[in-house]
């Protein structure tokens, strides 16, 4: 999940699941198209991502893997984005994202397009580790893939 | 050397040398303090660099190694820079840079500080491969280290 605070250290705590079937309520959820690409990605998971979400462009630094990660993000102007985006050729992915409130959480459902068409993933972000651990997944969630490199966006974009 | 065109593909052609002795003319050269750090760096040389040069902040993507590299750079606002800079802890370097005209070229002389105090390197950028190949180094240049990983800034910053 994106955060957008430009001045402090951001830690994200989240879990990721495959999706068995899309819930009916999805039709009412907010949705947007996401295009993202990777400028550089280290073997340990540390990377710099460019993203266009609707009309908003951003650059995000992430480090760590699994449920707990540090993340820093800045908003980019259109010219800044345009100058860097060509550097991500061959390292991009495209998805349709739905943002659906569920109990006290916001579930992000990503329906991948193009080369990963057919893959559907849900992510839930938590305010703390306890909420993260206690989370009971809804029935339409499939297998948990938190920290599974196979489903990391960097891997999906570059494979 | 930095380039700052935000819309096209930038290739830089340059050579790097150690410096045996500083030239007298250095006193008249323009100089500035540079602090730079690396957000992410792949083993093959591809990386994303943050830099503060005087008061100007920038983010640069580079790929390739040796005399010919692709480079893309954007200027960052102060807030954008401040949001990302903490992510470069432990991957930074500091230097004093002199920019000195010499024949038809501009020589950049970097005097490293802190952990690399004592290291002095000169870089020359060329308009094309022929000029690059034909370049005759001035007498105060030492050994050429173009493409030598030992003297790459990424390596110096992270070692």
């Amino acid at each position: 999940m994106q955060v957008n605070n430009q001045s402090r250290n951001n830690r994200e705590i989240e879990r990721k699941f495959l999706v068995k079937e899309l819930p009916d309520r999805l039709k009412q959820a907010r949705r947007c198209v996401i295009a993202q690409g990777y400028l550089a990605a280290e073997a340990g998971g540390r990377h710099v991502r460019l993203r266009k979400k609707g009309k908003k462009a951003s650059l995000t630094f992430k480090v760590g893997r699994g449920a707990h990660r540090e993340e820093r993000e800045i908003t980019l102007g259109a010219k800044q984005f345009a100058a860097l985006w060509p550097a991500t050729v061959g390292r991009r992915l495209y998805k349709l994202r739905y943002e659906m409130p569920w109990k006290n959480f916001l579930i992000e459902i990503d329906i991948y397009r193009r080369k990963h068409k057919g893959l559907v993933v849900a992510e839930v972000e938590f305010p703390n580790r306890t909420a993260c651990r206690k989370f009971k997944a809804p029935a339409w969630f499939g297998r948990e893939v938190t920290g599974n490199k196979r489903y990391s966006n960097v891997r999906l974009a570059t494979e």
Side-chain angles (χ1 to χ4, degrees), chain A:
Chain A
M1 177 176 286
Q2 286 186 76
V3 285
N4 226 326
N5 185 314
Q6 301 205 345
S7 60
R8 66 183 172 80
N9 190 322
N10 290 297
R11 298 225 151 244
E12 56 171 16
I13 305 175
E14 61 184 28
R15 292 171 69 180
K16 187 191 276 193
F17 300 81
L18 298 182
V19 171
K20 278 192 297 197
E21 53 182 333
L22 294 172
D24 282 343
R25 291 165 51 211
L26 203 62
K27 288 164 202 145
Q28 293 115 54
R30 205 162 63 123
R31 73 177 199 177
C32 59
V33 170
I34 289 178
Q36 62 192 45
Y38 295 85
L39 288 177
E42 297 182 13
R46 185 178 174 115
H47 68 258
V48 179
R49 180 190 77 194
L50 285 181
R51 176 183 271 183
K52 194 97 165 230
K53 183 184 176 188
K55 290 191 173 176
K56 194 198 141 204
S58 59
L59 180 145
T60 307
F61 162 83
K62 290 195 190 195
V63 64
R65 203 165 247 151
H68 310 283
R69 312 184 77 182
E70 186 192 334
E71 178 172 317
R72 293 175 181 275
E73 181 166 295
I74 60 171
T75 298
L76 293 183
K79 279 186 183 174
Q80 290 177 314
F81 182 82
L84 296 174
W85 183 246
T88 64
V89 170
R91 297 163 158 245
R92 295 176 184 162
L93 57 81
Y94 301 85
K95 52 195 183 180
L96 185 61
R97 168 168 293 182
Y98 289 88
E99 295 178 355
M100 201 180 82
W102 188 79
K103 297 192 175 172
N104 287 327
F105 306 108
L106 185 74
I107 299 179
E108 292 174 337
I109 296 149
D110 286 343
I111 300 176
Y112 287 80
R113 292 175 157 185
R114 304 199 192 186
K115 67 181 173 183
H116 297 294
K117 197 170 157 69
L119 176 62
V120 184
V121 164
E123 276 192 330
V124 193
E125 192 180 13
F126 304 97
N128 56 59
R129 290 177 185 228
T130 306
C132 178
R133 203 173 51 239
K134 289 189 170 170
F135 176 73
K136 293 263 187 288
W140 48 275
F141 271 28
R143 181 161 61 89
E144 179 163 9
V145 294
T146 307
N148 184 332
K149 289 184 196 176
R150 175 72 192 79
Y151 296 98
S152 83
N153 282 302
V154 178
R155 168 89 172 262
L156 292 171
T158 54
E159 75 186 4

